[in-house]
Amino acid sequence: LTAPCPTMAELEGLNDSYGTFVCGSDQIWSPPNFDPHYFLDFVGGDRLKVAYAPSVGLPNVDESDVARQMAKLCGRLDALSTREEPGSRIVSELTGREVATVLDSTLLLDRDEWARMAIESGLHIDKPYLLAYMLGHDETQWRRVYALGEQLGLSVRVIPIFQRDLRREGCVTEPVGPREFVSLIANATYVCTDSFHGIAFSVNLEKEFCAFERFRSTSRINQNSRIYNLLDKLGLRDRLAVGGVSDETLANPIDWEEPSERLAEERGVSISWLKHALEMEPKASAVKNNVRHDCTLCCGCTACEAVCPVDAIDVKLDVEGFWRAEIDEGACVSCGKCRRVCPFIENSSSVAIEDGKLFSYKSANSSQLLESSSGGAGAAIAKAESNVNYAVFGCAFEVGRGAVARLVEPKDTDGLGSLAGSKYMQSEVGHVLADSEAYDGPVLVMGTPCQVAATRNLLGEKADVTYVDLICHGVPTRYLYERYLEWLSKEYGIDSAKAEITFRYKPRGWHERYIRTTDGVHETCLHQRRDPYFLMFEAGQCYAPCCYECPWRDTSAADVRLGDYWGPKFQDDRTGVSMVLALTERGCEVVKGLATSGELLDQAIGDYMGYQQTENNPEPVFRDEVISKLADPSIGIAAVSEEFAEPVARNRDLQERIAPIKSLVKWFLGRK
């Protein structure tokens, strides 16, 4: 009912509209599908946070990383309840708090309220039927379903869940949405199901039913406890279609008097709990109007620092090794200027990637091509803009510091050369963004999508600024770079104080990536599969929090976006091709100018959508452990890579090896 909220930034924006947030119900707290947003991690401390009837689903939380995260997140909630007794026990043990067990939300409406909705569905079946709603695959159970139908003299109607169900006798071929689902149960004579909600609606609508166990008792993802808990609560455990229970017993009619009384009593208790929870006051907290108010994401862009009128903001390395804004709350005057330039709060200038115009580009300058990561488009644009008196904001690699932002004066050839190539780390922006704002002349801004969005917010829509962002997967913790330098010194004798790193060494290849490091005396050049820095980077397990919630995967605040032209089209190329996306009129002008320095070809936008990352990967639940180990010099990057990144790489290698076999099998089955 709200606008879609695909990332943390949009979710946190809901704090401006709502004072109370409720999470629930169903298996939103299922450990195998852990997602912190379902624990209201985006809700501010001054908002009321209530958990009503979420289900953990499992009898235990076996993963320690998930348990640790759940304990922290549940501890933030003002009122705690779950749907089943095992779930309440688990959350209580994790938090040390009392946790109520309440009814599933669907059971808060009584039989008559649901029946009225069922009447409106328009889905009618004339003759009496047995309804089968089965989420499992057990064919033995299906045979028993049809046997019960025959014993009761009822035709079987099946709500299809899987493709195979379409071939079952009695399959419902009309579309079944929520209203039709309720209607099919309400009008059934008997219901066979292994679904929690199939049972819940059967009970609420007082339908004759039997419940199957979907999971084996030995399964580590056994969720049968949800069904047991509901049946026990209502005194209906004898409706379980298990081993020794005969079909004759399951066909016996249910005496609904006691179950209905129990359900009514539980409904009253649950509604009272919910009303009381919604009347609670949230924990009081002093809130100032700055970027830390209902905004946890930060990319270290320094836009907030540049705009603050009282110097209350300082961007520093945080405990996880990321550049992050720190605020002196005592000095803050709540002017809100920092919020207006923060790219995670103000992002109204973005354009959808699918609305852009795609090109491929390959520089005609062979030396420039070798120095660039892909086809040299970034260098060509920077040179062209610099030649017409644009200063260039970009990122260079500085020995001993890593990636550092620079503002290069117009026609400074050496300065432009320092900006070439990829830097697989978060850049230290320092005062360069503020310098760009103060610069009296046109500026070309080149950076990550978040940096470019921040710069556009800071500089506004000035006619003499061109914005170019780079396709970005994320930035790893600074600790990864520090441990890497130590490893290079130990393994190859490279002086870490003089180590110059080329993260994409093109003389050795483009598709196959190599990282070259030299201190002027010693040198090493490692393939991506052997280099621990690249393995950790590619595994994506130690990125900044904002990288897992990036709003610019499928949008951009830039005029032009650049990256490698991955995919089959240029798979035989050995020196690199740039993917160039023009997103604005200014972007089209800039891209058109590339035709004078290399080969520029129109391409289909589908190449971008098909071969670049357009969705966020979830943050690993063990990310904090990875970063903690990288922060410890006594552990070392090789050990951390072996424990966390190597399994990812081995799985990727395996998938690449079996991909041709899968294709062959698919082709063979298609012919057959």
Side-chain angles (χ1 to χ4, degrees), residues 267-341:
R267 181 181 291 123
V269 170
S270 296
I271 290 174
S272 294
W273 185 92
L274 182 56
K275 285 182 176 179
H276 174 73
L278 296 176
E279 290 169 355
M280 294 174 64
E281 291 293 329
K283 299 172 184 176
S285 61
V287 177
K288 287 196 173 182
N289 186 31
N290 56 45
V291 288
R292 293 283 72 85
H293 172 44
D294 296 332
C295 181
T296 58
L297 303 178
C298 180
C299 62
C301 66
T302 75
C304 57
E305 180 182 26
V307 81
C308 181
V310 293
D311 295 328
I313 303 176
D314 192 9
V315 175
K316 302 178 180 179
L317 283 171
D318 66 11
V319 294
E320 288 192 330
F322 296 101
W323 294 102
R324 183 177 178 84
E326 292 186 4
I327 300 178
D328 182 346
E329 295 290 346
C332 176
V333 293
S334 287
C335 66
K337 289 184 178 180
C338 57
R339 291 180 63 83
R340 291 193 286 274
V341 297

Side-chain angles (χ1 to χ4, degrees), residues 175-182:
V176 179
R179 196 181 300 278
E180 289 75 22
F181 172 79
V182 177

Side-chain angles (χ1 to χ4, degrees), residues 16 37 56 94-95 140 273 276 398 406 426 435 457 624 649:
D16 296 333
H37 297 335
V56 176
L94 290 174
T95 61
T140 302
W273 185 92
H276 174 73
E398 289 191 14
R406 286 181 179 173
Q426 186 182 26
D435 294 342
N457 288 344
D624 55 347

Side-chain angles (χ1 to χ4, degrees), residues 343-604:
F344 293 100
I345 298 174
E346 174 51 51
N347 188 24
S348 59
S349 58
S350 290
V351 177
I353 294 301
E354 60 186 1
D355 294 333
K357 296 180 180 178
L358 191 68
F359 302 86
S360 60
Y361 172 81
K362 191 176 185 70
S363 174
N365 185 327
S366 58
S367 61
Q368 182 62 69
L369 200 57
L370 282 180
E371 293 174 6
S372 302
S373 295
S374 51
I381 291 173
K383 182 179 180 181
E385 297 291 278
S386 180
N387 285 341
V388 290
N389 294 319
Y390 273 68
V392 180
F393 173 102
C395 179
F397 180 86
E398 289 191 14
V399 174
R401 291 178 68 186
V404 179
R406 286 181 179 173
L407 187 65
V408 178
E409 294 286 337
K411 301 178 182 179
D412 179 355
T413 304
D414 291 338
L416 288 181
S418 71
L419 305 181
S422 298
K423 296 92 187 172
Y424 290 101
M425 61 177 66
Q426 186 182 26
S427 60
E428 178 186 349
V429 179
H431 298 291
V432 179
L433 196 60
D435 294 342
S436 300
E437 183 187 24
Y439 183 77
D440 185 21
V443 179
L444 167 65
V445 177
M446 305 183 75
T448 60
C450 50
Q451 289 175 334
V452 169
T455 310
R456 189 183 279 276
N457 288 344
L458 182 67
L459 304 184
E461 297 299 323
K462 292 168 61 176
D464 56 354
V465 182
T466 301
Y467 299 95
V468 176
D469 70 11
L470 312 170
I471 295 174
C472 173
H473 296 284
V475 292
T477 171
R478 173 81 179 188
Y479 296 131
L480 181 65
Y481 174 58
E482 294 176 358
R483 299 293 84 78
Y484 186 55
L485 291 178
E486 294 166 358
W487 180 80
L488 289 170
S489 177
K490 179 181 177 182
E491 296 293 323
Y492 299 98
I494 291 175
D495 185 346
S496 58
K498 299 178 181 179
E500 184 171 348
I501 303 175
T502 304
F503 286 98
R504 296 279 296 280
Y505 188 61
K506 287 281 283 296
R508 294 290 295 274
W510 174 44
H511 289 280
E512 294 288 316
R513 298 167 212 172
Y514 289 83
I515 299 181
R516 176 181 179 268
T517 306
T518 180
D519 61 3
V521 178
H522 302 91
E523 176 183 325
T524 181
C525 188
L526 297 172
H527 185 270
Q528 62 188 66
R529 189 60 183 79
R530 292 183 54 231
D531 189 279
Y533 189 101
F534 196 89
L535 285 170
M536 290 296 299
F537 173 84
E538 197 167 36
Q541 300 162 334
C542 59
Y543 291 163
C546 60
C547 301
Y548 304 103
E549 299 286 350
C550 178
W552 299 282
R553 297 292 180 203
D554 58 358
T555 66
S556 171
D559 299 303
V560 177
R561 173 165 287 187
L562 303 177
D564 292 271
Y565 209 116
W566 301 132
K569 190 165 291 182
F570 298 104
Q571 63 183 359
D572 296 328
D573 193 285
R574 293 291 178 266
T575 52
V577 179
S578 293
M579 182 173 279
V580 183
L581 187 68
L583 294 154
T584 64
E585 290 185 13
R586 172 61 182 151
C588 289
E589 293 175 9
V590 171
V591 172
K592 185 178 179 181
L594 288 173
T596 62
S597 60
E599 183 180 47
L600 182 72
L601 301 174
D602 288 314
Q603 302 290 352

